[in-house]
Amino acid sequence: MSSVPPGGQRTLQKRRQAKTNKDKQLNQTPTSARAAGVDGSSNSILKIYTDEANGLRVDPLVVLFLAVGFIFSVVALHVLTKITGKIF
């Protein structure tokens, strides 16, 4: 059994090789239409929900208030029609 200290040249070589392999995978162009995102790829749908997506940005609290306001208006209109139905 040889007593080789951890780290050193072998570790650096393995790290460089892993980095180049990772870079090759990232830069590789897709060979099929499905890999390119034509047939409903989940990669393209995730871009909708990222910060880089263009479009309307609405705070979730605003959406909550609008939804509760809509529900309240529907209930109020139902009550109003019940009251006016009895009067007229």
Side-chain angles (χ1 to χ4, degrees), residues 31-75:
T31 56
S32 68
R34 184 170 181 91
V38 173
D39 197 23
S41 172
S42 63
N43 188 22
S44 62
I45 206 144
L46 288 176
K47 289 182 181 179
I48 295 172
Y49 301 106
T50 61
D51 289 334
E52 294 91 28
N54 296 330
L56 184 64
R57 291 184 186 357
V58 182
D59 192 5
L61 198 60
V62 172
V63 174
L64 179 70
F65 283 135
L66 288 174
V68 170
F70 177 74
I71 293 169
F72 178 74
S73 68
V74 169
V75 170

Side-chain angles (χ1 to χ4, degrees), residues 20-32 35-36 43:
T20 56
N21 287 342
K22 187 177 179 183
D23 289 342
K24 283 180 188 177
Q25 282 181 339
L26 290 175
N27 294 332
Q28 201 173 28
T29 57
T31 56
S32 68
N43 188 22

